[in-house]
Amino acid sequence: SGVVIDDPTYQIGKPTSVFVSGTKAYVVSSMDKALSIFDISNPASITELGNIVDGVGATRLNDATSVFVSGTTAYVVSGMDK
């Protein structure tokens, strides 16, 4: 099994929801106000594919609480849109 530990390179402080689709895990973080996507195809070597944080473009992820993925689109619920 694999483990991802939050460090300065990841945006997963206080994760609130995880959605797994195929070989990808989508993690939302209320503390880091982010959505991170991980490749979990090899549990011994989980890698981050990318992330998006609150305030980038029109993104509002302040207090992100859950995530759902359909196809290539991730839907994130956030509690506080400032």
Side-chain angles (χ1 to χ4, degrees), residues 4 10 37-40 42 45-50:
V4 175
Y10 296 130
I37 305 166
F38 294 90
D39 179 344
I40 58 171
N42 179 358
S45 180
I46 297 172
T47 57
E48 186 180 38
L49 299 174

Side-chain angles (χ1 to χ4, degrees), residues 21-67:
S21 177
T23 60
K24 294 184 178 82
Y26 300 79
V27 181
V28 290
S29 161
S30 62
M31 186 171 82
D32 287 330
K33 306 172 190 172
L35 166 67
S36 297
I37 305 166
F38 294 90
D39 179 344
I40 58 171
S41 60
N42 179 358
S45 180
I46 297 172
T47 57
E48 186 180 38
L49 299 174
N51 64 52
I52 187 164
V53 296
D54 184 63
V56 176
T59 305
R60 298 292 179 241
L61 296 173
N62 193 20
D63 195 29
T65 57
S66 67
V67 59

